[in-house]
Amino acid sequence: MKCSRAFCLAFILLAVPAVTLAQASKPEDRAEDHAMLRALLAKGAEALNSRNFDAIAPSLDPNFTIITVDNQKHVGLDAFKKYYASLFDGPSAIFSKIEAHVTADDLTHFVDPSTGITYGTSEETYHFKDGDVRTMRTRWSAVSKKEGGAWKLVTVHFSTNVLDNPVLDAAKSLTKKIAAAAAVIGLAVGVLLMFLLRRRPST
């Protein structure tokens, strides 16, 4: 009888914390946090599509870090803004527009009261400067932390399928087109110079 009572007592001591933890982790208990995180996700997507990153700056951790699909790590918003601008402007720019539609796989998983991890996918459409348009599906993960009642993004990581990457294929094709155009222009300039040199009067 004593053994039976001891077993029941041990079971209760183990079961009560487990039940309490399960109740504490119910999604409805953190409905406000989930709503705030969904709004943060929408704000991040809008910043990518509009290229207006100043609007989301207050919602980023001071050491915000993002790893992009081309495997580059950018620490701080200014570093990422410079990188993102280079995709559209400058000598190496290949895009005229990028549209991203992000979706979370599930509700944010809270590892502690002030830290959450979210996983999801992004359907992205890339408009190239030569008129080509390619769509690619990427995966992402994001870590957020709560400070002063507001959630802030700490890090975001994008990844893509290297074995099936239509955007990479298009980028390679565009690079070849640019190289071919440069070769044609170079050849034309060379021919023109030779023609002009031959026409110079001899002294």
Side-chain angles (χ1 to χ4, degrees), residues 128 134 164-174:
F128 288 81
R134 300 293 179 99
D164 181 19
N165 191 324
V167 174
L168 181 60
D169 294 339
K172 289 179 179 178
S173 176
L174 180 58

Side-chain angles (χ1 to χ4, degrees), residues 188-200:
V189 172
V191 170
L192 179 60
L193 286 175
M194 289 180 63
F195 176 75
L196 292 175
L197 288 172
R198 286 181 178 179
R199 289 178 57 87
R200 290 178 59 186

Side-chain angles (χ1 to χ4, degrees), residues 23-38 107-116 144-146 151:
Q23 291 176 341
S25 62
K26 287 182 180 180
E28 56 266 26
D29 293 340
R30 305 204 62 169
E32 183 179 356
D33 286 320
H34 287 303
M36 293 170 67
L37 287 163
R38 282 193 293 270
L107 293 175
T108 296
H109 169 66
F110 298 108
V111 295
D112 62 41
S114 60
T115 307
S144 308
K145 70 177 182 180
K146 195 174 186 180
W151 284 95

Side-chain angles (χ1 to χ4, degrees), residues 57-71:
S59 300
L60 301 180
D61 183 80
N63 295 315
F64 169 73
T65 301
I66 181 170
I67 297 177
T68 49
V69 290
D70 53 356
N71 203 34

Side-chain angles (χ1 to χ4, degrees), residues 45 48-49 98-104 120-126 134-140 158 166-167:
L48 283 174
N49 291 328
I98 296 178
E99 299 172 288
H101 300 278
V102 296
T103 306
T121 58
S122 178
E123 195 78 18
E124 298 161 8
T125 302
Y126 294 80
R134 300 293 179 99
T135 299
M136 179 174 68
R137 186 181 179 87
T138 63
R139 292 207 62 83
W140 56 267
F158 285 90
V167 174

